[in-house]
């Protein structure tokens, strides 16, 4: 993934409209995967920072925060929402934010905002840029608009939310007072073949994106793998033949670690990284460089790769509810050019097979 130039973004009218929005105004932008939300978030942050320093980009997960940091090359601060709120509240109230005793990151927002109100806290930043806003709690938007930033730019797509209780577009508007969102409707990332597979799992309110890339002739493939060694062979052979960036999306971290160790042995000199929440090692991973990155579905949000292998497919299908369908939709759209769905050593259940599209969309063994 690279940061498109101003000229490339400006050649797309709906992206140009976002770039040309006055920098001293708040902005709400909604769009499907591949529509350029993260790129536009970075560009808008850069533009605002040229006139007003102390701009901040806020994301939900650490890997997306890392991607944004790489794209802006340290010129603008990027933080996860949890880390930002933790220190922002402490810096201005003088104590750590109150949390649920069972979860140190489950903030007690009403108590926090009551303290901010009593302390007559005022916004101390000129602008806040939020990416993947649907994954942040609605109370964060109220906190940020009242006490953090004088203006905000929010990018969101609730059709990619991974939690049952996602924040809707209406909740973001209500909490922030933002106007109706500008709509991005074009997919500049995926090939038509990848997009068709992803749209099979789409169940949200936004219409299917218009794909602007030409047909590649390469259908996504369903692959049966006898064991983990067979999966390693498939992935290492693909990398040796094609190179580029590969994302491996897994369900279990122990599976991911085994794949990482085996691929490191098979591909000496090749970047093979795994990110896990417990290690918090995102700052050692450069997803902008060629190589292999292993992530679970929660950490894949916002990333993109030339090729994606969704491993442990039996853990993701059949999709029996909207949350599971949104997860498959999001994972499939991480792939720019090639997509592989890997299962085995057992067979997929009848319901799992029925959840997959036909052979006109997905090549089968």
């Amino acid at each position: 993934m690279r940061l498109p130039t101003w000229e490339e973004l400006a050649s797309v009218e709906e992206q140009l409209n976002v770039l040309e929005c006055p920098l001293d105004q708040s902005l709400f932008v909604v769009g499907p995967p591949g529509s350029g939300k993260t790129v536009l978030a970075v560009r808008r942050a850069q533009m605002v920072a040229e006139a007003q320093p102390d701009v901040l980009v806020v994301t939900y997960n650490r890997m997306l925060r890392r991607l944004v940091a790489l794209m802006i090359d340290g010129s603008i601060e990027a933080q996860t929402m949890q880390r930002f709120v933790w220190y922002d509240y402490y810096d201005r109230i003088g104590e750590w934010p109150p949390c649920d005793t069972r979860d140190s990151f489950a903030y007690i927002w009403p108590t926090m905002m009551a303290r901010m109100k009593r302390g007559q806290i005022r916004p101390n930043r000129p602008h806040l840029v939020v990416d993947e806003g649907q994954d942040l709690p609605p109370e964060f938007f109220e906190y940020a608009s009242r006490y953090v930033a004088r203006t905000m730019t929010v990018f969101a797509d609730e059709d990619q939310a991974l939690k049952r209780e996602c924040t809707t577009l209406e909740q973001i508007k209500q909490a922030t007072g933002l106007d109706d969102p500008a709509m991005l409707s074009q997919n500049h990332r995926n090939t038509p073949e990848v997009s068709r597979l992803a749209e099979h799992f789409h169940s949200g309110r936004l219409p299917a994106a218009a794909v602007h890339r030409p047909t590649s002739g390469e259908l996504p493939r369903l692959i049966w793998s006898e064991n983990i060694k067979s999966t390693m062979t498939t992935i290492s052979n693909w990398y040796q033949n094609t190179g580029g960036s590969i994302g491996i999306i897994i369900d279990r971290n122990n599976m991911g670690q085994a794949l990482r160790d085996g691929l490191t042995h098979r591909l000496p000199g090749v970047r093979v990284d795994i990110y896990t929440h417990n290690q918090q090692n995102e700052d050692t991973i450069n997803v902008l460089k060629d190589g292999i990155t292993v992530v679970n579905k929660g950490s894949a949000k916002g990333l993109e790769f030339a090729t994606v292998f969704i491993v442990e497919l039996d853990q993701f299908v059949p999709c029996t509810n909207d949350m599971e369908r949104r997860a498959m939709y999001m994972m499939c759209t991480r792939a720019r050019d090639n997509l592989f769905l890997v299962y085995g050593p057992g067979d997929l259940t009848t319901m799992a097979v029925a959840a997959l599209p036909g052979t006109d969309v997905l090549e089968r063994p």
Side-chain angles (χ1 to χ4, degrees), residues 89 93 110-122 143 146-147:
Y89 186 86
I93 295 297
T111 301
M112 292 166 59
M113 285 187 275
R115 287 291 309 276
M116 299 287 268
K117 183 177 180 180
R118 287 199 302 271
Q120 298 184 332
I121 304 299
R122 297 289 181 266
Y143 176 92
R146 287 186 180 183
Y147 305 113

Side-chain angles (χ1 to χ4, degrees), residues 48-69:
V48 173
E50 289 179 0
Q52 304 178 88
D54 204 24
V55 174
L56 175 71
V57 180
V58 172
T59 69
Y60 171 66
N61 68 43
R62 290 192 177 102
M63 283 300 292
L64 181 55
R65 196 276 315 161
R66 169 63 169 163
L67 174 63
V68 169

Side-chain angles (χ1 to χ4, degrees), residues 325-337:
R325 282 186 284 271
R326 290 196 301 262
M328 275 298 295
Y329 172 63
M330 181 278 294
M331 290 188 291
C332 290
T333 56
R334 301 308 96 199
R336 290 196 301 268
D337 304 316

Side-chain angles (χ1 to χ4, degrees), residues 74 95 182 238 274 292 320:
E95 60 185 49
W238 180 265
I274 180 172
I292 299 173
T320 58

Side-chain angles (χ1 to χ4, degrees), residues 92 113-114 116-117 121-124 140-150 152 175-176:
R92 299 205 279 162
M113 285 187 275
M116 299 287 268
K117 183 177 180 180
I121 304 299
R122 297 289 181 266
N124 62 342
F140 165 74
F141 292 99
E142 183 179 353
Y143 176 92
S145 61
R146 287 186 180 183
Y147 305 113
V148 175
R150 293 185 287 276
M152 295 178 63
T176 59

